[in-house]
Amino acid sequence: MMEYNPRAIEKKWKKYWDDNQVYKVSNKSDKPKFYVLDMFPYPSGSGLHVGHPLGYIASDIYSRFKRLNGFNVLHPMGYDAFGLPAEQYAIQSGIHPAKSTSDNIARYREQLENLGFNYDWTREVQTCDPKYYKWTQWIFLQLYESYYDNDINKAQSIRLLTEAFEKEGNLGINAVTTQEDIFTAEEWNEMTAAQQEDILMNYRLAYRKKGYVNWCEELGTVLANDEVKDGVSERGGYPVEKKAMLQWSLRITAYAERLLNDLDTVDWSDSLKAMQRNWIGRSEGAQLFFDVADSDEKIEVFTTRPDTIFGATYMVLAPEHDLVAKLTSSEQQAAVDDYLKYVNARSERERMSEVKEVTGTFIGAYAINPFTKTKIPIWIGEYVLKDYGTGAIMAVPSDDDRDNAFATKFGLEIIDVVDKTDYPGATLSDKIGKMINSQYLNGMEVKEAIETMLEKIEEEGIGTRKINYKLRDANYSRQRYWGEPFPIVYNQDGTSFPLDESELPLELPNLEDFKPASGGKSPLARLDDWINLDNGYVRETDTMPGFAGSSWYFLRYMDAHNDEEFVGQDAVNYWQDVDLYIGGTEHAVGHLMYSRMWHKFLYDNKLVPTAEPYKKLINQGMIQGVIESLYLMKEKKDGFSHFMCAGLAKEQGVENFSKILIHVDFVKEYGSDNSYIDIDSIKKFIDWRPSYKDAIFECSKGVYQKGVFTSKGDATDSRLVTQSEVGKMSKSKYNVINPDVVVERYGADCFRMYEMFLGPIEQSKPWDTNGIDGVSKFLRKLWSLFYNENGDYLVKDEEPSKEHLKILHTAIKKVNADIERFSMNTCVSNFMVCVNDLKKAKCNNKAVLQDLVILLSPFAPHVTEELWHALGNDTTVNDATYPQANESYLVEDSYTYPISINGKKRALADFANGLSKEELEKGALELEAIQKWTEGKTIRKVIVVPKRMINIVVG
RNA sequence: GCCCCUGUGGCGGAACUGGUAGACGCGCUGGAUUCAAAAUCCAGUUCCUUCGGGAGUGGGGGUUCGAUUCCCCCCGGGGGUACCA
């Protein structure tokens, strides 16, 4: 072969890998296992851009590296194939989501294969495949048939619960539940089946309940908390409102404490763990009751600051609180009604964006402060949330910013209870200071006072210690078509029944019209034949959310074709858990939280051997794009749109211009300060945006309009400078770079190495196609160690020289260490150094080059497979043995010491290894370059660190 | 507001536990080869400089013989979260 030809080489070896099933992985092996997982992609219609494969390349390198080091490596891929976008697309286009999804999957597969990944495709899964979602439905039913036992701290069969109810009622049951009323065994046994079922719903881990949910009108569905950002839907950015609906939920709150504590056992980034801890939001405090004056009612509140109770001068209930109706006085009825009307009219978004403004109203009732025994007014206010704590607070305006703002606005009493004069600069959230105006607490530090009050509250029987979580149960119903149907039917009373396991999977029926049904229902609600069963029962018409299928997919890869179990026990006991998970941070609180919960549930049921699914997790950064735009004058010129060069626009003040996005493909030297468009580019732009066909394009070289360029001097072409900035790579920014295009030009090996070379995987960085030449040159240089320009094979099988071995083993040592710490960018640098040095040293030695080929193969699998065979091997390089660094090749007989005067480097000098500290000191002081600095000065100290540096302190 | 991450040449980025700041690559400059270009190769490239040196890792302080690295304060960028009681 004459020169390095990636296109031919890559095609050839892909076929070889395929024909020989090189990447097929067995569940039976004597080798230690290693499981490398990529985050489950949703196959979107726009395909992959260069940002997506970043994590896939890193995981591919690592899994190849592990395989070469003697591990049996599982590295699978599949698709999170149910989801909203396909359905939204179906509504617009009429194309069935199954069709568009499978088309998109085909495109993804093609793009992924193009990059030479070592996936075992025989294990591919798709969540929309009935063979897969049979088991999603099955796990849901296990959740439905379980409750959480606080005494043994794990999930238990609901059968054990009903047995206990039959014998002793629910008094002795310590379970996670929303059941408040106590009942005896007799009462339970006398209940109707429907009544019993209602009670069980308060215990089931998958349960159905009417509650306030995030309703998105535009998407026609309910969303989980993590799918709502800033009061709008994460997908699409549509408004979301709180709506009371009958919905399925998962009792993830049962696992809050374990989800929090077990974060200490996994190797994840601090920021990711922090996000999860925040989302769980654990806080310790007290739950206590305030009596209501002239009433039997009590108001239950949660507080983390029981020490400040002597400063509690009023109470606030959430507007939706149950007691509001009961406690409102007739005089205040009109005011309360007005206020509730106002609150209900406000969208979630308004409520969030106008946080600064305090609103509320007095309801005309009073509570008794249990410690001061004074009557304090009860208010309602938006700032108290129905679904956190008890939906009611004791307000301490002196020690809480929100209470303070409220009290100030409405003229409520403020009593100082914490003296912070000892702590200048301390804020209210610091929880420090000395107690005042608080009877027996006076003089105590806050910490001590909290503990004292907690004891006091329990002693007096007005409340208990309590731990609260921000984490809410997860909405599990979606009023959509393209998701897993619930294996649930209802009788005429609305009581739910699970389908029998033998009836699974409950397949998603076919549909032609994908618009939501009326009344906030899924399109499935229109399928009368499907809904209504012969026995008079009806089916659930909602479908499961996206996180259902993705919460356990990594288990299915272990045993993808098992028809008997969701995963075979032999398989799961062999593969255990995921050793390395690479993916973006966007799943921090959604997918990662849900799948951890499912895993813990399966663990409680002894179906998986580990308590956590993902041992180590790396968040890859985003690859950003360059966003290019043109400056368009806000005022038209002679009725024509008028674009101007960025330079001219800046002179005239950019506020007079609007920025019009332009496709980066049209821009010359895009991304640089000098990015510009010439006449050719302008023509492309006009073809793309025909509304600007008559526009004026003005730059310092001249003016272009309607096909004519009028030069301002002797220029023959336009050079209209565009505005470049770094931002998200996305279809809507017209800056998407398709990896296929890069691979076509430079080859997959080059693309893979260049993505790694851009920088650390965790960091976000901009894509710049220009830089790829460096990696391309490197690969050609590598090739040139094997073949000269005439195609002559240069490799010689002889004894390697010491120099060559040293170059090789330096690289082995560094690359090995760098892969282990996922520093792929420095690995690429090390390869470049190695090849540069071998080239300079004119190395064509077989032993040296063969080890180099193995070392490089995880990064550039195609070219190394070619060279591996060229070296005379006839099995795949994947089955080679990874070279180990031999320190004896690396020893030097001297070291070049930097010699500093007062910490500032002044000279370099070679000293033989093995010299004593005294000899090194003497040698350094004798140097001419050093004497120049020490002359006439006192040498106070000399620090000698062998094989590092010498520092001379003079004064 | 709170929490987490981050700040190094024109650019992407190196520098493992404190020890030669700027590896490697892009870009740029000069040169070789060429009729010319591409490709390739060689040399240079942090800034200032009176060519002795001086300054320098967002800014200011500190610890140390020595700080990009550790500590304190401040500023900028990114992400998460938000009336969470």
Side-chain angles (χ1 to χ4, degrees):
Chain A
M1 210 172 289
M2 294 280 280
E3 57 177 17
Y4 172 50
N5 179 353
R7 223 172 296 171
I9 289 172
E10 292 179 1
K11 198 176 158 203
K12 172 174 159 195
W13 294 108
K14 275 194 185 82
K15 183 163 185 312
Y16 170 89
W17 295 331
D18 218 27
D19 291 347
N20 294 280
Q21 300 204 331
V22 166
Y23 300 126
K24 193 163 162 34
V25 182
S26 166
N27 286 356
K28 290 204 170 58
S29 169
D30 299 333
K31 294 177 184 172
K33 71 99 187 184
F34 201 89
Y35 188 173
V36 178
L37 183 67
D38 292 309
M39 274 191 190
F40 216 22
Y42 175 81
S44 84
S46 30
L48 294 173
H49 68 59
V50 292
H52 296 118
L54 185 69
Y56 301 158
I57 296 169
S59 64
D60 195 68
I61 290 169
Y62 199 76
S63 60
R64 287 172 183 274
F65 168 75
K66 278 293 185 189
R67 173 168 173 178
L68 289 168
N69 277 285
F71 288 83
N72 187 31
V73 180
L74 179 57
H75 185 217
M77 179 49 79
Y79 307 96
D80 187 13
F82 273 134
L84 272 173
E87 189 166 348
Q88 292 296 96
Y89 180 66
I91 292 170
Q92 290 164 30
S93 66
I95 294 171
H96 198 286
K99 166 86 174 85
S100 60
T101 301
S102 85
D103 289 351
N104 292 346
I105 286 175
R107 170 124 191 262
Y108 261 65
R109 172 74 178 261
E110 209 176 292
Q111 286 189 299
L112 289 168
E113 293 202 340
N114 202 13
L115 296 172
F117 293 133
N118 68 348
Y119 296 125
D120 176 357
W121 286 109
T122 64
R123 293 172 185 259
E124 182 198 303
V125 300
Q126 302 181 4
T127 53
C128 63
D129 180 349
K131 288 201 193 95
Y132 180 90
Y133 68 68
K134 168 180 179 177
W135 300 107
T136 307
Q137 291 171 334
W138 182 82
I139 297 172
F140 168 80
L141 287 181
Q142 308 311 303
L143 286 158
Y144 174 82
E145 299 285 16
S146 302
Y147 76 104
Y148 198 88
D149 187 324
N150 278 327
D151 287 334
I152 52 170
N153 215 5
K154 62 182 216 176
Q156 286 283 295
S157 166
I158 204 98
R159 211 175 317 120
L160 297 174
L161 191 68
T162 50
E163 281 167 15
F165 288 169
E166 282 161 20
K167 288 194 197 104
E168 57 203 70
N170 71 344
L171 189 59
I173 303 288
N174 183 11
V176 176
T177 179
T178 39
Q179 175 70 22
E180 286 172 356
D181 298 334
I182 303 297
F183 53 82
T184 63
E186 294 75 48
E187 285 168 326
W188 171 262
N189 292 326
E190 280 164 22
M191 285 179 203
T192 63
Q195 285 170 324
Q196 287 183 340
E197 189 47 44
D198 278 351
I199 285 174
L200 288 179
M201 277 296 183
N202 291 328
Y203 289 88
R204 294 183 189 278
L205 289 181
Y207 65 98
R208 192 175 183 235
K209 172 189 129 183
K210 188 161 189 158
Y212 285 91
V213 294
N214 305 306
W215 172 256
C216 179
E217 183 64 39
E218 198 70 29
L219 294 175
T221 188
V222 155
L223 298 171
N225 287 346
D226 62 278
E227 293 169 321
V228 182
K229 294 236 148 66
D230 303 323
V232 297
S233 66
E234 193 181 24
R235 263 196 208 282
Y238 304 116
V240 171
E241 54 186 312
K242 286 279 180 210
K243 195 170 173 181
M245 287 177 76
L246 193 57
Q247 295 286 312
W248 284 93
S249 293
L250 291 192
R251 208 175 296 281
I252 189 169
T253 50
Y255 286 88
E257 192 71 24
R258 282 164 68 188
L259 289 170
L260 182 69
N261 292 338
D262 288 356
L263 283 174
D264 296 337
T265 70
V266 293
D267 183 6
W268 297 10
S269 72
D270 288 339
S271 62
L272 198 63
K273 286 185 182 186
M275 271 189 239
Q276 291 227 333
R277 287 193 187 108
N278 265 328
W279 192 257
I280 295 168
R282 182 185 196 270
S283 55
E284 283 179 32
Q287 193 122 329
L288 66 156
F289 292 92
F290 278 58
D291 287 326
V292 178
D294 311 314
S295 162
D296 294 337
E297 300 290 347
K298 285 171 187 286
I299 296 173
E300 191 179 14
V301 301
F302 173 72
T303 178
T304 55
R305 296 295 304 275
D307 57 313
T308 62
I309 201 161
F310 291 95
T313 53
Y314 66 101
M315 302 195 79
V316 187
L317 306 181
E320 305 89 352
H321 196 284
D322 293 340
L323 287 175
V324 174
K326 284 182 198 161
L327 298 181
T328 301
S329 70
S330 44
E331 300 85 60
Q332 287 301 107
Q333 191 65 52
V336 168
D337 287 346
D338 281 353
Y339 184 66
L340 292 179
K341 216 162 126 190
Y342 159 79
V343 169
N344 288 332
R346 269 153 70 82
S347 70
E348 199 55 9
R349 188 155 204 190
E350 284 170 327
R351 242 178 118 153
M352 288 170 85
S353 60
E354 294 161 26
V355 161
K356 294 281 166 286
E357 203 172 320
V358 188
T359 68
T361 194
F362 177 50
I363 66 167
Y366 293 85
I368 311 289
N369 182 318
F371 288 89
T372 63
K373 305 292 182 200
T374 45
K375 263 172 79 172
I376 56 176
I378 303 170
W379 286 63
I380 52 174
E382 264 187 310
Y383 83 98
V384 175
L385 306 175
K386 172 78 178 92
D387 50 355
Y388 182 77
T390 62
I393 60 157
M394 61 172 214
V396 183
S398 61
D399 218 59
D400 181 289
D401 288 321
R402 296 148 309 172
D403 295 346
N404 192 282
F406 195 85
T408 308
K409 172 156 178 184
F410 296 111
L412 295 158
E413 190 184 5
I414 301 174
I415 302 172
D416 276 332
V417 285
V418 181
D419 175 14
K420 289 190 195 59
T421 47
D422 289 351
Y423 302 95
T427 63
L428 294 183
S429 57
D430 292 336
K431 295 196 184 182
I432 46 173
K434 261 200 174 67
M435 304 309 301
I436 50 169
N437 296 326
S438 300
Q439 301 181 13
Y440 45 84
L441 296 180
N442 286 345
M444 286 186 193
E445 283 292 319
V446 164
K447 217 178 149 198
E448 189 190 354
I450 291 176
E451 191 48 39
T452 306
M453 282 310 290
L454 285 171
E455 280 163 25
K456 196 92 180 168
I457 287 164
E458 296 205 307
E459 220 174 272
E460 300 200 359
I462 51 172
T464 49
R465 285 168 199 265
K466 169 102 191 194
I467 290 157
N468 241 311
Y469 301 93
K470 278 200 268 184
L471 184 72
R472 291 293 111 78
D473 281 346
N475 287 318
Y476 198 72
S477 295
R478 296 293 180 274
Q479 291 68 39
R480 303 307 304 237
Y481 168 69
W482 193 233
E484 301 86 350
F486 280 80
I488 292 284
V489 294
Y490 305 99
N491 68 9
Q492 288 87 339
D493 300 336
T495 303
S496 63
F497 295 90
L499 293 187
D500 189 80
E501 200 182 317
S502 63
E503 297 175 82
L504 301 183
L506 171 62
E507 290 205 23
L508 187 61
N510 197 20
L511 204 66
E512 269 157 32
D513 178 8
F514 303 98
K515 286 195 185 64
S518 59
K521 284 190 174 160
S522 152
L524 288 175
R526 284 194 298 262
L527 295 179
D528 291 336
D529 291 350
W530 182 76
I531 295 165
N532 296 301
L533 277 68
D534 295 340
N535 58 5
Y537 284 31
V538 294
R539 292 194 193 280
E540 169 64 59
T541 58
D542 286 348
T543 54
M544 298 188 195
F547 68 79
S550 62
S551 286
W552 71 283
Y553 75 105
F554 57 95
L555 294 168
R556 190 66 183 168
Y557 285 140
M558 296 173 178
D559 197 10
H561 306 290
N562 192 328
D563 291 329
E564 307 300 319
E565 289 172 278
F566 75 106
V567 57
Q569 285 299 299
D570 287 348
V572 75
N573 284 316
Y574 176 67
W575 292 110
Q576 298 264 320
D577 52 10
V578 174
D579 295 282
L580 172 68
Y581 198 11
I582 299 185
T585 182
E586 66 274 16
H587 298 111
V589 290
H591 160 63
L592 288 174
M593 194 73 86
Y594 297 123
S595 57
R596 290 181 65 216
M597 180 225 163
W598 283 45
H599 201 76
K600 287 181 187 307
F601 170 73
L602 294 171
Y603 176 70
D604 288 351
N605 283 285
K606 298 196 165 53
L607 295 169
V608 296
T610 61
E612 282 289 332
Y614 317 116
K615 275 212 274 271
K616 182 178 176 70
L617 192 150
I618 292 178
N619 283 125
Q620 93 233 27
M622 278 197 305
I623 289 194
Q624 293 149 314
V626 172
I627 301 169
E628 292 284 350
S629 37
L630 296 175
Y631 281 108
L632 173 66
M633 268 221 104
K634 283 183 179 159
E635 264 176 52
K636 288 195 173 184
K637 187 179 181 185
D638 308 326
F640 297 115
S641 295
H642 186 187
F643 289 99
M644 222 180 258
C645 186
L648 297 173
K650 273 162 195 160
E651 277 168 30
Q652 299 194 12
V654 287
E655 62 279 2
N656 299 320
F657 294 83
S658 28
K659 280 200 232 167
I660 302 296
L661 290 173
I662 173 168
H663 208 296
V664 289
D665 290 355
F666 306 155
V667 180
K668 310 274 170 177
E669 294 175 32
Y670 70 81
S672 75
D673 290 341
N674 307 314
S675 57
Y676 69 99
I677 50 170
D678 56 16
I679 292 172
D680 190 47
S681 311
I682 293 173
K683 287 180 177 156
K684 284 182 188 156
F685 175 71
I686 290 172
D687 282 346
W688 181 58
R689 286 286 128 98
S691 59
Y692 293 122
K693 72 178 165 49
D694 297 332
I696 301 162
F697 295 84
E698 182 179 356
C699 69
S700 56
K701 304 271 186 226
V703 177
Y704 175 94
Q705 190 183 21
K706 298 185 197 175
V708 182
F709 181 68
T710 314
S711 180
K712 287 183 186 173
D714 51 7
T716 54
D717 203 345
S718 162
R719 203 184 168 92
L720 193 151
V721 177
T722 58
Q723 169 68 23
S724 315
E725 53 193 313
V726 170
K728 208 179 156 184
M729 186 173 285
S730 119
K731 221 173 156 185
S732 64
K733 305 279 186 212
Y734 310 110
N735 60 356
V736 169
I737 312 283
N738 184 338
D740 295 342
V741 175
V742 184
V743 168
E744 173 65 22
R745 173 125 186 243
Y746 296 94
D749 287 333
C750 184
F751 177 77
R752 290 164 60 107
M753 289 192 84
Y754 182 57
E755 286 239 335
M756 292 299 100
F757 189 57
L758 282 174
I761 356 171
E762 301 93 333
Q763 257 169 52
S764 290
K765 56 246 158 185
W767 175 263
D768 173 17
T769 305
N770 293 322
I772 202 168
D773 276 342
V775 176
S776 182
K777 275 183 206 163
F778 157 77
L779 288 169
R780 275 174 285 167
K781 207 171 207 175
L782 170 79
W783 188 263
S784 76
L785 293 172
F786 292 77
Y787 297 97
N788 67 13
E789 57 271 33
N790 302 319
D792 303 326
Y793 184 64
L794 305 171
V795 181
K796 290 190 188 71
D797 194 0
E798 51 195 27
E799 204 51 34
S801 76
K802 265 190 110 173
E803 186 195 7
H804 297 165
L805 285 170
K806 189 179 159 194
I807 295 168
L808 172 71
H809 283 262
T810 304
I812 292 173
K813 192 178 173 182
K814 287 189 169 167
V815 169
N816 229 319
D818 286 356
I819 292 184
E820 283 294 7
R821 61 189 178 104
F822 300 94
S823 177
M824 307 305 181
N825 54 330
T826 53
C827 287
V828 180
S829 301
N830 289 326
F831 284 124
M832 287 172 169
V833 171
C834 178
V835 167
N836 286 344
D837 290 351
L838 288 178
K839 184 79 188 170
K840 267 184 214 144
K842 300 197 166 50
C843 174
N844 304 109
N845 181 273
K846 183 174 176 185
V848 169
L849 293 180
Q850 177 146 306
D851 273 355
L852 174 63
V853 161
I854 302 168
L855 194 67
L856 182 63
S857 68
F859 290 81
H862 309 85
V863 68
T864 49
E865 191 79 275
E866 170 74 24
L867 295 173
W868 176 252
H869 283 79
L871 286 162
N873 298 288
D874 48 19
T875 54
T876 171
V877 67
N878 287 281
D879 289 335
T881 303
Y882 203 73
Q884 296 303 315
N886 184 339
E887 291 288 340
S888 66
Y889 297 135
L890 303 177
V891 286
E892 313 233 8
D893 23 314
S894 72
Y895 180 81
T896 308
Y897 282 84
I899 301 160
S900 305
I901 304 291
N902 292 342
K904 190 96 196 159
K905 186 182 74 180
R906 295 299 178 188
L908 290 174
D910 276 0
F911 291 113
N913 286 337
L915 288 184
S916 70
K917 279 193 177 190
E918 290 71 28
E919 286 168 317
L920 287 167
E921 176 175 337
K922 189 162 167 277
L925 289 171
E926 277 168 1
L927 291 169
E928 215 176 299
I930 289 303
Q931 290 196 345
K932 186 169 103 184
W933 293 92
T934 52
E935 223 181 324
K937 301 218 169 104
T938 320
I939 294 162
R940 299 197 184 277
K941 202 173 176 184
V942 180
I943 291 119
V944 178
V945 184
K947 289 206 171 183
R948 285 238 187 258
M949 41 60 69
I950 299 167
N951 188 18
I952 300 161
V953 186
V954 299

